Amino acid sequence: MATMHAAATSVTQSAYTRLRELILTGEIPPGEKILLKVLSTQLQVNLSALREALSRLSAEGLVVAEPQRGFRAAPFSLEDLRHLSEARIEIETSCLRQAIEKGDLGWEGRVADAAHQLARLSGKIRNETGGISCEWAFAHDRLHFALCSGCDNTWMLRIREMLYTQSERYRSLAGPLAGGDTGH
């Protein structure tokens, strides 16, 4: 019985990870209705695992559950981006302030290493289609994580992670459109 539960969890986790990536990269555009049967076939997962993954993504704000209508990728708006940016600046600044106050040599080393890795990729921000390269995005994420990793307030770190993920949705949409470095 435990093996069946582990297999179901693995299928759900796989569906969650793959669906999250499709939303974060904009392959499922903001506001688009999520067709369960089509997605189930595309991701090769059962409907139950897909619904559970969608519920998790709904709790993260990446998907909107519409009663009696299914799920939709969370929409974008300029006002939402402004509010998100304001909240992210406040939380990330507070996390960084605490990290600087409490960070040790290990923290300094993680920051230096992550900054070095990102600097090495400065000429490789864009991929062949003009979007943000996966390698650069990973290094960028790693630097932001390292900068705040010295903060010991787990609630602030969780909120920071949620805000960062939401901002990445906007970055992935704007990346090919902006034409320049998408910065921080």
Side-chain angles (χ1 to χ4, degrees), residues 152-177:
D152 64 356
N153 185 320
T154 57
W155 279 102
M156 285 179 50
L157 289 171
R158 276 188 228 156
I159 293 167
R160 188 213 72 83
E161 181 64 27
M162 181 190 73
L163 295 171
Y164 185 85
T165 298
Q166 290 294 332
S167 69
E168 287 302 292
R169 290 178 61 231
Y170 282 94
R171 179 190 314 278
S172 69
L173 180 67
L177 305 176

Side-chain angles (χ1 to χ4, degrees), residues 61-133:
L62 296 174
V63 168
V64 175
E66 298 175 322
Q68 306 299 318
R69 300 182 83 182
F71 296 91
R72 185 173 294 287
F76 281 169
S77 74
L78 288 177
E79 182 179 27
D80 182 56
L81 176 58
R82 184 173 53 79
H83 290 161
L84 170 62
S85 298
E86 290 169 0
R88 182 172 169 217
I89 288 167
E90 289 295 321
I91 292 294
E92 199 150 336
T93 299
S94 293
C95 288
L96 182 57
R97 186 178 301 110
Q98 284 189 25
I100 290 168
E101 290 171 5
K102 298 175 183 188
D104 57 11
L105 286 175
W107 170 74
E108 289 180 20
R110 289 189 302 275
V111 170
D113 181 55
H116 175 74
Q117 293 296 321
L118 185 61
R120 288 181 53 107
L121 296 170
S122 65
K124 300 178 183 178
I125 295 172
R126 301 281 177 195
N127 62 24
E128 59 280 348
T129 63
I132 301 295
S133 81

Side-chain angles (χ1 to χ4, degrees), residues 44-65:
Q44 298 180 342
V45 296
N46 61 49
L47 289 173
S48 176
L50 188 57
R51 282 190 190 96
E52 191 172 331
L54 285 164
S55 292
R56 283 179 61 190
L57 292 164
S58 179
E60 292 179 21
L62 296 174
V63 168
V64 175

Side-chain angles (χ1 to χ4, degrees), residues 18 35-45 47 50:
R18 291 163 60 203
L35 304 172
L36 294 179
K37 289 183 181 179
V38 171
L39 201 53
S40 174
T41 302
Q42 179 185 345
L43 299 179
Q44 298 180 342
V45 296
L47 289 173
L50 188 57

